[in-house]
Amino acid sequence: QVQLVESGGGLVQAGGSLRLSCAASGSIVSIGVMGWYRQAPGKQRDVVATITSGGSTNYADSVKGRFTIARDSAKSTLYLRMNSLKPEDTAVYYCNADVLRSWSSTWENYWGQGTQVTVSS
């Protein structure tokens, strides 16, 4: 079994910063692409940022220049540094990862349980 556990969400004023973490655990031999997604009330879940195992990153236009995604492969941990937060960044943030559980298996996709980020104006 594989688990992704997010932490670091909370309430912050506009202009503030937060850092989210996502720790992967379980039977894992390799982790491929990892990413952060977010879902605001009444809206669909959208991608925020992704990072490959080689460190290549992509960001949603709405967060470029404000958010930074990073990963520590030795710790199987994903991070999202969020600066200059805006009320429209308020959402539940989810961690996502492509995981290989054994060298004879296929890649599987996993989600974390989500962490709430609320930005007050």
Side-chain angles (χ1 to χ4, degrees):
Q1 188 72 341
V2 172
Q3 282 191 315
L4 302 178
V5 179
E6 300 103 333
S7 60
L11 174 64
V12 64
Q13 288 188 331
S17 299
L18 283 174
R19 190 180 82 154
L20 305 183
S21 299
C22 170
S25 63
S27 177
I28 300 172
V29 298
S30 184
I31 302 177
V33 176
M34 301 184 81
W36 290 99
Y37 293 71
R38 67 186 180 185
Q39 187 168 20
K43 296 188 177 181
Q44 67 180 20
R45 188 175 299 186
D46 291 325
V47 61
V48 175
T50 61
I51 184 168
T52 69
S53 57
S56 296
T57 59
N58 275 292
Y59 295 91
D61 288 342
S62 59
V63 307
K64 281 181 181 176
R66 300 188 298 123
F67 291 10
T68 302
I69 190 171
R71 65 193 284 173
D72 184 334
S73 296
K75 296 181 180 179
S76 298
T77 302
L78 178 70
Y79 303 99
L80 184 69
R81 178 67 179 181
M82 305 185 292
N83 296 328
S84 303
L85 282 161
K86 304 174 181 180
E88 52 263 44
D89 294 318
T90 296
V92 177
Y93 284 70
Y94 296 91
C95 173
N96 180 270
D98 290 329
V99 174
L100 196 63
R101 298 179 61 189
S102 75
W103 294 117
S104 61
S105 67
T106 58
W107 289 93
E108 299 173 357
N109 187 259
Y110 289 88
W111 290 93
Q113 82 288 351
T115 185
Q116 176 70 46
V117 171
T118 302
V119 184
S120 63
S121 57

